[in-house]
Amino acid sequence: VGALFAGLLAPRIFPDYYEFPQALAVCALLAWILFERSSAATFRFALTLFLVGYVSWIAIDSAKGARLAARNFYGTLRVSDSGGVRKLLHGAITHGSQFLAPDHRRQATTYYGPASGAALAIEHATPGPRRIGLVGLGAGTLAAYGRPGDYYRFYEINPLVIRVAESDFTYLKDCPARVEVVGQSRVLPAAKVRLSRARGGGGRRRPAVTPARAGSGIRRPRAGCLLRRLDPRALADRRSVSDLLS
């Protein structure tokens, strides 16, 4: 029952993991009612309620300054603005940021800056129009490297991430390349499997660069499918390949 509530119901009614401290409070109350009510037990119950209240306050306070706080089956997302920068957080992990100033908003940030492995792989890809396949969308940061004539395809299994990238960030809409986002409705059973059958516009041409940022969701069997779909001369983010084969 608890797993069903946390996995199916809680994401529809809470923007964050508010059910966790509430469950702790209920467990503490049941333990205090069902077992011996000694002074020590009462003290433990009061201490638990204090800790639950403190954790709840932290969770609520962290969402106060958020431009957006949302949650679905895949976790929680928050978008916040600070110091002229808009940041996307998936739980406690930053999944992209963007400068708000119009003159700088096409500048790639965080771990996709100009000196990153993904940026260098894209910039040193085959000459002429480039075909770039990307596993994981985040804020859409890597679209900042798109040029006219390029083709970028993002694979993202979380529909909430797609909505946030399109509504709260401008990397995708500012990109002069042709951009396609393959979402959950076209992913069976996951974005990584869809990539193994990738054709893209232009017949059987394969991606020339594939930075993968979807984390632990890809493992050896699917990694083999992904790598076989690359152009024989393709480049891949070394960190991504390391993650894929871990």
Side-chain angles (χ1 to χ4, degrees):
V1 175
L4 289 175
F5 177 81
L8 299 178
L9 184 59
R12 296 180 178 274
I13 59 178
F14 298 132
D16 210 322
Y17 294 113
Y18 296 152
E19 73 275 11
F20 178 63
Q22 294 177 11
L24 290 179
V26 171
C27 289
L29 177 61
L30 290 175
W32 185 73
I33 292 175
L34 297 176
F35 298 101
E36 181 182 358
R37 300 186 188 181
S38 63
S39 57
T42 301
F43 174 77
R44 288 193 296 270
F45 175 60
L47 180 61
T48 301
L49 289 183
F50 171 77
L51 293 175
V52 165
Y54 179 68
V55 171
S56 301
W57 177 80
I58 291 177
I60 295 173
D61 187 66
S62 65
K64 278 184 179 179
R67 169 187 172 89
L68 176 145
R71 178 182 173 187
N72 64 4
F73 174 81
Y74 298 102
T76 63
L77 292 181
R78 290 201 315 275
V79 177
S80 59
D81 296 344
S82 178
V85 176
R86 178 165 296 167
K87 184 179 295 185
L88 170 64
L89 289 101
H90 190 166
I93 301 173
T94 299
H95 273 210
S97 64
Q98 184 177 31
F99 292 111
L100 295 176
D103 293 342
H104 299 286
R105 69 183 192 181
R106 282 210 64 213
Q107 181 178 336
T109 59
T110 60
Y111 41 80
Y112 286 140
S116 66
L120 293 175
I122 292 173
E123 290 300 312
H124 292 84
T126 54
R130 303 170 299 189
R131 298 179 58 81
I132 312 296
L134 306 108
V135 179
L137 174 62
T141 308
L142 284 175
Y145 296 105
R147 305 179 306 194
D150 289 349
Y151 173 72
Y152 276 60
R153 173 179 279 184
F154 290 88
Y155 297 83
E156 177 56 60
I157 196 173
N158 189 341
L160 186 56
V161 169
I162 298 176
R163 179 166 67 85
V164 170
E166 292 177 341
S167 63
D168 291 84
F169 296 86
T170 65
Y171 286 118
L172 299 181
K173 65 182 69 174
D174 289 343
C175 181
R178 177 189 167 197
V179 177
E180 179 184 8
V181 179
V182 176
Q184 187 184 45
S185 62
R186 294 178 56 196
V187 179
L188 295 173
K192 300 89 182 181
V193 176
R194 176 72 185 182
L195 181 58
S196 71
R197 303 194 301 270
R199 289 291 187 270
R204 296 180 175 270
R205 293 181 60 194
R206 302 177 179 184
V209 182
T210 302
R213 60 173 310 281
S216 60
I218 307 178
R219 284 297 178 254
R220 286 181 181 271
R222 290 178 181 174
C225 293
L226 185 153
L227 295 175
R228 283 195 298 271
R229 293 308 307 167
L230 294 178
D231 187 288
R233 299 163 295 174
L235 299 174
D237 187 336
R238 183 176 182 274
R239 177 178 62 86
S240 302
V241 174
S242 177
D243 290 342
L244 293 177
L245 301 179
S246 61

